[in-house]
Amino acid sequence: TCLTHRKITSNGRAILSDLINCTTLCLRFRFRFWQWGKWIEVRVDDRLPTRGDRPAHLHCAQPDIFWAALLEKAYAKLYGGYSFLKYGTVGRALQDLTGAVVQSVPPSGPLLGGAVPRSTLLIAISGVEKETKRRRSGLLTEHPYCVTGLARVRANSTDSVTHGSGSSAGDTSLIRLRSPWIGGEWGGVWCGAWSERSWEWNALNERDRELLSSRSSNDCEFWMSVNEFLTRFVVIWLAHIGPDDWALEPGLHTRAPWRAALAVRQWRAGFNAGGPHRFIETTATNPQFRIRVPPGHPSKAHVVVAVAQKYECYRSRNYEDEEIGFTIYEVPPGMQRVTPQYVSEQMPLDFAPLSNLREIATFFALPAGDFVVMPHAAQHREGRFLLRIFADQHTDVWEVNEENLVIHNIAADFCDERTIDARILYKLRTRYPHEIDATQLQAILKAHGGTNRGFRGLGGINCGPSLELCRGMLALRDPALGGRLSIEHVPALIGLMRFWKAAFRRCGPSSSGTATLSRGIWASKVSSYCLRGLLWAGGATASNKVLEALVSRFTRNRQITLEGYLLSMARLHLAHERYHSLDAKAKASPLSLEEMILMTIYS
């Protein structure tokens, strides 16, 4: 009823698109339903199940109108059969038919004033009274009613009827509803105060009655006071229509559209599956999305945040396997990303607790400032999710992400001749050829790791850098790609490795890793959730996509060793050097720095 009132059935993407294809034998109908961020087309024929000479399931009162029965048939096909429809809910049906962000809330006056003026459909569910199918007031019990408008009646005023939900002394706020039934025994039309036969209605002057009647364009629409509405209805379903669907529906153009941001992401264990805010050390690794409400607006910004997990429509139950939620923090304007330290010091502005629902949505009224939304599942739980944020037009929304940078070119410092120990270089020249390969570099590090002061702490006889790491370090000083390294570059590479190892030692093995006495720092392990901080300590930053690739490539069991960290830093530096060494003609190609880094990581 709500959807047909908004004329979505006539030309909208939500229900009917290219309705009828005629053939010589039968009619075929195409319906579109929204499933996890996209519209799915379902085709059905014109054959309907019957009981006697009438349709067996949903049907219209007029015997020659079949759109409702055909819609139900397509919807049943989407879910696997008519028997599965009994497990559905009002919210799920609204989302499947409209693609909206749907949430259920208890009735309240401020909520009505914030949602009605926007492109949001409101469905109110009436309560139960004394186990009767219909109250004396005319309302049907446990039935949906569409909220179609608000008005305010002012006492003792020439212009006594205005649009809106605000009120002052002597004013009466009214709400307009539409019954799901048109005429008949179960009309479901309100017969109490402010109905067309009530004394409150008759007490209005003729001009006011005509104005209110003109707004009630349908026979099954009626007015009632907001206070009466709040006592007789138990829940309101809000369906926030996105801007794309709003543009296709002329019936919604009288309402203000939302500004939407949509992102399909995934939680990966060891990377961004940090869990709820009670996990202080890891929750800051969850995906972060920034909401900025600029100052200068008299009222608060209305924002809707919705997180949906990946689901399948062929289900026989209302609940999903996984639990999802989100947390929202208010942050200073200069803070780029929420950190573990900030989480430990500040309480979240609000949060949606973990629930095994298909989608969790919350309506906020935010003041001017910066806010960060962090969707999350259970800690270390992997899965895909869809985040949708609807906000007022003056609100900005974006994903928090870092650039791929080498903040300080530390490698260049270690190539300076002033930092090279002449005695070390002399010993290397007397024992090794002018150019060495990766195997010889590994032998140098292991042979001199425990005895030479210049190489102290890099390795030993039974531990130290692997051959793969030595190949990665060699590539940093092999622009000709010959697989060999000049002996003069060895002390610089050793100094660079020592710097990275010191950064690794500062950031975690003492607190979040374990080390053995036999293998020392090379056997230490740090939580892979700390990799972003490790990169920063080593003089580099990485985007979310690159960081995810590093976690996938160089970590194991949600932990990263010193070997993996050194490989990560070597690959990042190599990708930056290769990209910036390209000539102008090569840079004209569509290859980006991020793509270069990703190819280098998996090489």
Side-chain angles (χ1 to χ4, degrees):
T1 302
C2 175
L3 301 177
T4 55
H5 173 74
R6 290 296 169 200
K7 301 181 180 179
I8 296 180
T9 54
S10 60
N11 58 2
R13 294 166 55 192
I15 299 180
L16 306 181
S17 176
D18 302 330
L19 179 60
I20 300 177
N21 288 330
C22 295
T23 65
T24 56
L25 298 178
C26 66
L27 296 177
R28 294 194 177 274
F29 303 86
R30 296 189 295 176
F31 297 82
R32 289 183 181 179
F33 301 97
W34 193 90
Q35 291 288 300
W36 207 68
K38 61 182 179 181
W39 294 95
I40 296 178
E41 186 175 279
V42 177
R43 300 188 180 189
V44 295
D45 55 27
D46 60 349
R47 299 180 179 180
L48 297 173
T50 60
R51 183 179 293 111
D53 58 349
R54 302 186 64 182
H57 302 288
L58 179 66
H59 59 276
C60 298
Q62 295 84 350
D64 57 343
I65 298 179
F66 299 98
W67 70 265
L70 292 170
L71 171 62
E72 185 186 35
K73 179 179 180 179
Y75 198 51
K77 182 179 179 180
L78 177 70
Y79 278 90
Y82 283 96
S83 60
F84 292 104
L85 296 185
K86 65 181 180 180
Y87 299 102
T89 62
V90 174
R92 177 172 292 191
L94 278 175
Q95 187 173 80
D96 292 341
L97 297 175
T98 66
V101 171
V102 179
Q103 63 175 130
S104 61
V105 294
S108 66
L111 177 92
L112 294 173
V116 169
R118 287 169 176 77
S119 56
T120 299
L121 306 179
L122 287 86
I123 309 298
I125 307 299
S126 57
V128 180
E129 182 179 342
K130 297 181 180 180
E131 301 180 356
T132 59
K133 286 293 183 180
R134 182 173 56 176
R135 302 176 179 178
R136 296 180 180 179
S137 59
L139 295 178
L140 301 176
T141 60
E142 296 183 297
H143 268 63
Y145 285 79
C146 178
V147 179
T148 60
L150 297 172
R152 187 173 66 249
V153 178
R154 295 178 179 175
N156 301 325
S157 175
T158 303
D159 186 16
S160 58
V161 176
T162 59
H163 177 75
S165 60
S167 62
S168 60
D171 294 354
T172 301
S173 296
L174 303 181
I175 184 171
R176 186 177 65 220
L177 301 173
R178 187 170 189 256
S179 171
W181 304 95
I182 301 178
E185 180 183 359
W186 305 101
V189 178
W190 170 249
C191 301
W194 297 103
S195 63
E196 292 189 357
R197 297 181 181 180
S198 65
W199 68 267
E200 292 88 353
W201 181 269
N202 295 328
L204 294 173
N205 58 57
E206 184 177 356
R207 179 179 177 277
D208 293 340
R209 289 198 301 268
E210 292 179 355
L211 183 59
L212 291 176
S213 299
S214 63
R215 295 181 181 179
S216 301
S217 58
N218 199 292
D219 293 338
C220 55
E221 284 188 321
F222 57 87
W223 292 94
M224 66 187 306
S225 69
V226 172
N227 292 334
E228 188 78 28
F229 170 83
L230 297 179
T231 60
R232 294 185 177 272
F233 289 83
V234 295
V235 65
I236 295 180
W237 288 92
L238 303 177
H240 309 285
I241 306 297
D244 294 338
D245 298 316
W246 173 90
L248 297 175
E249 298 302 331
L252 294 174
H253 289 178
T254 57
R255 299 187 173 195
W258 292 102
R259 187 175 186 178
L262 184 146
V264 178
R265 298 292 184 267
Q266 66 176 351
W267 294 295
R268 170 169 287 186
F271 167 54
N272 62 354
H277 63 278
R278 67 176 181 270
F279 299 99
I280 297 177
E281 294 184 356
T282 59
T283 187
T285 62
N286 286 307
Q288 300 185 17
F289 297 84
R290 192 72 164 252
I291 301 176
R292 174 166 293 171
V293 181
H297 292 270
S299 59
K300 294 182 178 181
H302 295 90
V303 178
V304 180
V305 178
V307 180
Q309 62 177 305
K310 181 64 176 177
Y311 58 85
E312 301 293 339
C313 58
Y314 292 98
R315 283 201 170 299
S316 60
R317 57 183 183 274
N318 290 331
Y319 300 102
E320 305 296 328
D321 294 331
E322 308 298 339
E323 294 182 332
I324 57 173
F326 67 86
T327 307
I328 180 169
Y329 285 91
E330 184 175 6
V331 298
M335 177 178 288
Q336 182 179 6
R337 173 182 291 273
V338 173
T339 62
Q341 180 181 0
Y342 188 82
V343 171
S344 63
E345 297 174 353
Q346 302 291 333
M347 291 295 295
L349 180 67
D350 200 353
F351 66 93
L354 288 174
S355 303
N356 58 340
L357 300 177
R358 191 166 81 167
E359 183 177 54
I360 294 178
T362 305
F363 185 92
F364 296 99
L366 299 179
D370 285 37
F371 307 87
V372 172
V373 177
M374 296 192 298
H376 61 76
Q379 190 182 36
H380 311 318
R381 179 73 69 178
E382 296 188 345
R384 301 183 67 191
F385 69 92
L386 168 67
L387 174 70
R388 291 189 288 175
I389 300 178
F390 290 178
D392 289 337
Q393 292 296 319
H394 62 276
T395 304
D396 297 323
V397 181
W398 70 90
E399 183 177 5
V400 178
N401 198 4
E402 281 80 13
E403 297 184 9
N404 293 295
L405 296 173
V406 174
I407 299 176
H408 183 58
N409 193 3
I410 302 173
D413 290 348
F414 287 100
C415 290
D416 193 343
E417 294 181 359
R418 293 174 298 179
T419 63
I420 298 177
D421 191 334
R423 290 176 299 178
I424 299 175
L425 186 57
Y426 174 76
K427 292 181 179 180
L428 292 176
R429 286 173 176 173
T430 58
R431 300 180 183 180
Y432 297 94
H434 178 68
E435 290 186 345
I436 60 174
D437 56 16
T439 304
Q440 291 170 319
L441 177 61
Q442 184 185 31
I444 291 174
L445 298 178
K446 287 188 175 183
H448 298 274
T451 60
N452 193 294
R453 183 180 61 181
F455 301 157
R456 184 174 299 167
L458 281 180
I461 300 299
N462 298 320
C463 62
S466 65
L467 183 60
E468 182 183 3
L469 175 58
C470 293
R471 288 170 177 166
M473 298 301 297
L474 185 146
L476 292 177
R477 294 295 172 266
D478 184 24
L481 305 180
R484 303 189 71 83
L485 173 70
S486 175
I487 199 67
E488 282 80 8
H489 293 309
V490 173
L493 291 181
I494 293 175
L496 182 59
M497 293 175 63
R498 291 176 63 185
F499 177 83
W500 289 341
K501 191 189 73 170
F504 181 83
R505 190 190 299 271
R506 291 194 307 268
C507 288
S510 60
S511 59
S512 58
T514 59
T516 61
L517 295 176
S518 60
R519 296 182 60 87
I521 188 66
W522 289 95
S524 300
K525 297 179 181 179
V526 178
S527 172
S528 57
Y529 292 104
C530 301
L531 184 56
R532 189 185 298 274
L534 288 171
L535 297 181
W536 177 268
T541 60
S543 65
N544 295 335
K545 194 171 184 179
V546 169
L547 189 64
E548 182 179 4
L550 291 173
V551 171
S552 175
R553 178 68 172 81
F554 300 113
T555 67
R556 185 177 182 181
N557 297 328
R558 303 193 300 272
Q559 291 181 325
I560 184 171
T561 61
L562 175 60
E563 175 87 11
Y565 171 62
L566 294 179
L567 278 171
S568 301
M569 296 301 300
R571 295 295 173 87
L572 287 178
H573 276 262
L574 179 62
H576 279 272
E577 291 183 5
R578 290 288 187 266
Y579 181 79
H580 293 298
S581 64
L582 297 176
D583 55 21
K585 183 177 181 180
K587 287 185 179 180
S589 65
L591 184 67
S592 64
L593 175 60
E594 185 175 75
E595 292 172 336
M596 173 70 79
I597 296 174
L598 293 176
M599 289 190 300
T600 305
I601 291 174
Y602 286 105
S603 61

